[in-house]
Amino acid sequence: LQARYLITVAPPVNLYRFDQLALPASARWSLIQGGQDEVVPPHKVANWMRGLAVRPDVYWREPASHYFHGELIWLRRIIAACLS
């Protein structure tokens, strides 16, 4: 069974290696990131994305922290839109 969709929220690229991340060519990928993330530095996520062979659809919310305090309605809408 292969993944058809991947949603990553604040992927901890500063803590773990994601170089083994392999998606089927037909899979869709969305990446959600807060611009004020205090756990996963946003600039590290941006730098990591630049080196990817496959580009995700990016949903960047500048005022959002790692836990999306005050942004959960936005987060829910984005995830629902990604899955529709």
Side-chain angles (χ1 to χ4, degrees), residues 45-68:
V45 175
N47 289 341
W48 172 70
M49 285 189 303
R50 285 187 194 101
L52 295 174
V54 175
R55 301 280 183 189
D57 296 326
V58 177
Y59 299 90
W60 194 280
R61 185 72 164 186
E62 190 55 37
S65 67
H66 184 73
Y67 298 101
F68 289 84

Side-chain angles (χ1 to χ4, degrees), residues 5 7 32 59 61 70-84:
Y5 207 101
I7 298 175
I32 302 169
Y59 299 90
R61 185 72 164 186
E71 303 292 338
L72 292 176
I73 292 172
W74 175 84
L75 181 60
R76 181 182 64 189
R77 287 181 182 154
I78 292 300
I79 292 172
C82 290
L83 295 175
S84 64

